[in-house]
Amino acid sequence: MIRLIINIVTLVVLAVFIAMNVSYETSINLFGFKYDNISTVAVIIISLVSGVLYSFFYYLLTYISKSEKLKIRNKNKQTKLKEKELKTKEKNIHKAIEEGVKDSIPNNTDPVELELAAVGKKKKIPLKLFKGKKNN
């Protein structure tokens, strides 16, 4: 912004210097309309002002465009962070559900089922050991 102001001041000083030293008249053609005997100083000042206005609007539009792009980037970053956070929360919820299901399943505390499970775990003795002795 400071650079723009410095350029404007420099151009105004230059235009004043030219205006004080030139007293000629000229004719201009503006989009098909011809104007005769217009002061050269007026043409210079009009050109200067239109150039300054153009550069100001160009600078303003560029600034707005950059700020909008920055806002969009920040929103994208926030969206990605929220997405990661939601994925981790979803994983935690699934883990909590699985743990809740495991906790809700009843343990085998019935004595009959415990005995059956214990018997099923015992080693079976081979049949050879139970065969009787042969009498000769």
Side-chain angles (χ1 to χ4, degrees):
M1 188 72 173
I2 293 174
R3 219 172 20 171
L4 181 64
I5 294 171
I6 291 172
N7 286 337
I8 291 170
V9 170
T10 304
L11 291 174
V12 167
V13 169
L14 182 63
V16 169
F17 176 74
I18 292 171
M20 294 174 90
N21 292 316
V22 177
S23 62
Y24 297 109
E25 292 182 351
T26 187
S27 61
I28 60 170
N29 187 355
L30 185 65
F31 302 112
F33 297 105
K34 190 170 183 178
Y35 299 102
D36 293 325
N37 298 329
I38 295 180
S39 173
T40 307
V41 175
V43 174
I44 291 171
I45 291 175
I46 291 171
S47 299
L48 175 70
V49 170
S50 62
V52 168
L53 289 176
Y54 174 79
S55 64
F56 175 72
F57 284 121
Y58 180 77
Y59 171 78
L60 186 65
L61 292 175
T62 304
Y63 177 77
I64 291 171
S65 173
K66 286 181 182 179
S67 65
E68 290 297 322
K69 285 180 183 179
L70 185 62
K71 286 179 184 178
I72 290 171
R73 285 182 193 152
N74 288 337
K75 283 185 180 181
N76 284 341
K77 287 180 183 179
Q78 289 175 353
T79 305
K80 288 180 182 179
L81 290 175
K82 285 182 181 180
E83 182 180 352
K84 288 180 182 179
E85 183 179 333
L86 288 174
K87 283 183 181 180
T88 56
K89 284 183 180 181
E90 185 178 346
K91 287 179 183 178
N92 292 339
I93 288 173
H94 285 297
K95 288 180 183 178
I97 290 172
E98 289 175 5
E99 290 175 2
V101 169
K102 286 180 184 177
D103 291 343
S104 66
I105 296 175
N107 293 335
N108 292 335
T109 56
D110 188 22
V112 175
E113 288 181 5
L114 289 174
E115 278 187 41
L116 287 174
V119 168
K121 289 182 182 177
K122 287 184 182 178
K123 290 184 180 179
K124 294 182 181 178
I125 300 173
L127 292 176
K128 292 180 184 178
L129 297 175
F130 290 112
K131 287 185 180 178
K133 292 183 183 178
K134 290 184 180 179
N135 291 335
N136 289 345

